Amino acid sequence: MNNKNLWLIRIAMSIIALLSIGSAAAENLVVGVNPDYKPLAYKEDGQLAGIEPATAAATAKLLSKKLVFKELAWQDLIPALQRGDIDVVMSGMSITPERTKQVDFSRSYLKISQMAIIRIQDLARLATPGAMYQQGIRIGVESNTTGESFAKKNLVSATIDSFETPADAFAALRAGKIDFFIHDAPTSWEIAQSNDYNDLFALYRSLTEESLAWAVKKGNSSLLAELNQALSTLESNGTIKMIQSLWMPVKVEVGQ
């Protein structure tokens, strides 16, 4: 990532922090987020950053609400929503039939897919389309994600290891404990852009087709309507596109 983009991101993070303060009289919008998913949601210099926090800040401003972030482990987001501890999950969550039984989703704001990541040293052995379907291949996934669902359903000849965070999976990949790490396309984009991952290689082949959206508690139709209206406004005025372009300035071209 070049210095200009880093500067823009730091400016955006400052805006997120200011908008999060809000007015003391404003109603809270409590947003659940798992900050382990760069560039969707992560920590930078101790502050939340990424597409989700920036879009949440713009949404709260539109709704005249005070933005309050609550950082949670990925697997704790939906339970926290169901208990009423948070109002909405804004954390790169894909719409799935299973999750739709548990929560209500907003309209989608981003289309993604699952992709595979390997070590540079394994390019000759694992870069071909059929490599991950071979007997004995070791697959790493993040727990309770669509990547895990894909692997368990489709990679029947593989050994599948589930990790609590992407960082844990990357450590296993680098240590040679797994051959592939399957995760969302924005993770592959981050690998391509950052010098922190120059020992890894993202295979830009779509394994799934998914829609990201925000989740609210089942039956919370009033908040859902507000969020959908806010998304429509942010799409029509170009805010969504600007935010996504800031954190994902290069479009990832994927093969089928």
Side-chain angles (χ1 to χ4, degrees):
M1 190 175 294
N2 60 39
N3 290 334
K4 180 180 178 182
N5 284 335
L6 284 173
W7 177 76
L8 289 172
I9 287 175
R10 291 184 188 279
I11 292 294
M13 287 165 54
S14 298
I15 293 171
I16 293 170
L18 289 172
L19 290 174
S20 299
I21 296 171
S23 167
E27 179 184 352
N28 287 347
L29 179 67
V30 185
V31 174
V33 62
N34 172 237
D36 293 324
Y37 183 7
K38 192 174 183 178
L40 268 293
Y42 63 102
K43 300 296 282 291
E44 181 81 22
D45 297 332
Q47 295 184 42
L48 279 172
I51 290 171
E52 291 284 27
T55 311
T59 299
K61 183 178 180 181
L62 271 180
L63 300 180
S64 299
K65 294 187 178 185
K66 177 184 176 182
L67 179 60
V68 178
F69 286 113
K70 192 163 186 176
E71 297 177 32
L72 297 163
W74 174 257
Q75 65 270 19
D76 294 334
L77 288 169
I78 289 180
L81 187 63
Q82 293 172 326
R83 289 193 305 268
D85 295 342
I86 58 177
D87 298 316
V88 56
V89 173
M90 297 182 175
S91 198
M93 185 169 284
S94 299
I95 301 172
T96 68
E98 294 77 14
R99 290 173 185 159
T100 301
K101 296 174 184 177
Q102 300 175 288
V103 301
D104 288 334
F105 280 106
S106 69
R107 61 185 294 173
S108 175
Y109 60 87
L110 185 63
K111 304 292 184 182
I112 66 161
S113 65
Q114 296 297 306
M115 293 183 179
I117 300 158
I118 62 175
R119 294 179 295 274
I120 287 283
Q121 67 191 57
D122 289 333
L123 272 172
R125 181 171 69 94
L126 300 177
T128 58
M132 72 170 60
Y133 297 91
Q134 297 174 19
Q135 187 74 36
I137 287 294
R138 301 163 300 167
I139 305 291
V141 295
E142 184 180 3
S143 298
N144 301 307
T145 63
T146 48
E148 183 181 57
S149 298
F150 168 83
K152 289 183 175 180
K153 180 179 179 180
N154 296 281
L155 305 178
V156 294
S157 297
T159 299
I160 300 170
D161 290 322
S162 298
F163 298 89
E164 289 302 311
T165 69
D168 293 337
F170 279 128
L173 183 62
R174 284 172 161 145
K177 296 179 180 178
I178 56 176
D179 299 307
F180 293 88
F181 174 38
I182 296 175
H183 208 258
D184 297 340
T187 302
S188 291
W189 174 86
E190 179 63 23
I191 286 172
Q193 297 296 310
S194 174
N195 291 329
D196 294 336
Y197 300 98
N198 54 18
D199 57 329
L200 303 179
F201 186 83
L203 302 172
Y204 292 132
R205 289 191 292 268
S206 298
L207 302 175
T208 63
E209 293 183 3
E210 303 173 29
S211 298
L212 299 188
W214 298 333
V216 301
K217 189 175 182 179
K218 272 286 185 185
N220 194 349
S221 56
S222 59
L223 178 57
L224 188 62
E226 287 183 296
L227 293 173
N228 280 329
Q229 181 58 53
L231 278 171
S232 294
T233 300
L234 295 174
E235 286 172 351
S236 63
N237 67 19
T239 300
I240 293 279
K241 183 177 181 180
M242 181 274 292
I243 290 172
Q244 293 179 0
S245 296
L246 178 62
W247 270 278
M248 294 192 297
V250 178
K251 182 179 179 180
V252 175
E253 298 291 344
V254 298
Q256 299 299 320

